[in-house]
Amino acid sequence: MDLTDRTALITGGASGIGAAAARRLAAAGATVVIADRDETGAKAVADELGGLAVPTDVTDPEAMQAAVAAAEAHTGRLDVVLLNAGVTGGQTGVTDLDLEGYRRIVGVNFDHVVFGLNAAVPALRRAGGGRVIATASLAGIVALPGDALYTATKHAVVGYVRSAGPALAPEGITVNAVCPGFADTPLIAHLKEQFGEFPLLTAEDVASAIELIMERGEPGDCWYVQPGREPAPYGFRGVPGPKGGTPPPPVEWTEH
């Protein structure tokens, strides 16, 4: 992977998967821009890698616009966007529902992916194309009992990526999702004892998968990452269509 003279924006890059991916992209030659609400952590990673730290609330669309603008202004272009920020729910969302917590998990896990892609597309167009990878989860392609809200947000990311990928592909912008299983990162630090001997991914495992996606991912692919397995795009089963009919044409929305 050669990213010489390229610029990469990583949300949630102050620690965990985001920091590991930032190091991988920087090693490939990219200038990295770390967008995170953890200003101290973001600056530490950016300083280590010779990049730029941008304090960012990823749930705020204006803040995401500002982060993209800062990244593009820093080097004059934007080529790679890793929408990686995420949180866990801390509630089932079924038998208990804390509205503030609900808004937070939806804002960080899903809204930020929508806001981030929307903000990045014009800059990627100006660069002649690029790569966008959203960090979803294995919970984006299978159910995670006990955390319905987290599962819902990650399913939303997967659905969004699968739809946005083909739409942007003709412009040379490839959109993918990475769907790791349980990874030993700060996100699950408070739950780690519950896993016992269960195998966990490392942040580096996921960063390696992100590199594979950068090299091989097709528009809309969602790659699973599991301990001991080679990362690969998940094969979604086709939904049966109506009998005796032909598929409807793609929907094209117009403003009125």
Side-chain angles (χ1 to χ4, degrees):
M1 184 169 64
D2 183 5
L3 297 176
T4 304
D5 299 326
R6 299 292 186 264
T7 303
L9 173 66
I10 303 101
T11 65
S15 63
I17 292 169
R23 293 184 180 101
R24 185 67 62 100
L25 297 173
T31 298
V32 295
V33 178
I34 309 299
D36 201 301
R37 68 184 307 165
D38 176 2
E39 297 183 33
T40 302
K43 187 176 187 305
V45 174
D47 288 349
E48 172 196 339
L49 302 176
L52 175 71
V54 182
T56 306
D57 177 0
V58 299
T59 68
D60 181 350
E62 293 184 1
M64 288 304 302
Q65 292 283 347
V68 167
E72 188 178 26
H74 187 56
T75 62
R77 61 184 298 131
L78 180 63
D79 306 274
V80 178
V81 181
L82 177 56
L83 299 170
N84 169 76
V87 294
T88 55
Q91 56 178 321
T92 68
V94 179
T95 57
D96 58 333
L97 182 63
D98 171 68
L99 187 57
E100 183 177 352
Y102 170 74
R103 297 296 184 199
R104 178 171 181 264
I105 190 172
V106 172
V108 175
N109 288 3
F110 180 56
D111 289 350
H112 123 260
V113 174
V114 176
F115 299 156
L117 183 61
N118 178 259
V121 164
L124 296 171
R125 285 171 174 161
R126 287 189 286 271
R131 286 272 182 179
V132 180
I133 300 176
T135 302
S137 167
L138 208 64
I141 50 181
V142 298
L144 181 61
D147 204 336
L149 294 184
Y150 184 81
T151 301
T153 59
K154 295 305 184 177
H155 270 68
V157 170
V158 165
Y160 185 66
V161 164
R162 293 183 69 200
S163 298
L168 290 171
E171 301 184 66
I173 300 172
T174 304
V175 183
N176 296 118
V178 59
C179 300
F182 292 110
D184 188 2
T185 69
L187 196 66
I188 67 163
H190 63 296
L191 301 172
K192 190 173 177 181
E193 289 185 2
Q194 299 180 25
F195 286 92
E197 298 300 317
F198 186 86
L200 297 175
L201 295 164
T202 66
E204 268 299 320
D205 291 333
V206 185
S208 295
I210 288 171
E211 183 171 349
L212 281 176
I213 296 169
M214 293 271 296
E215 295 173 347
R216 306 178 195 171
E218 295 295 327
D221 278 353
C222 300
W223 287 53
Y224 64 84
V225 190
Q226 285 280 59
R229 294 184 179 274
E230 182 75 8
Y234 182 70
F236 293 89
R237 294 184 61 184
V239 177
K243 288 186 176 180
T246 57
V251 176
E252 295 186 5
W253 297 101
T254 57
E255 294 185 5
H256 297 282

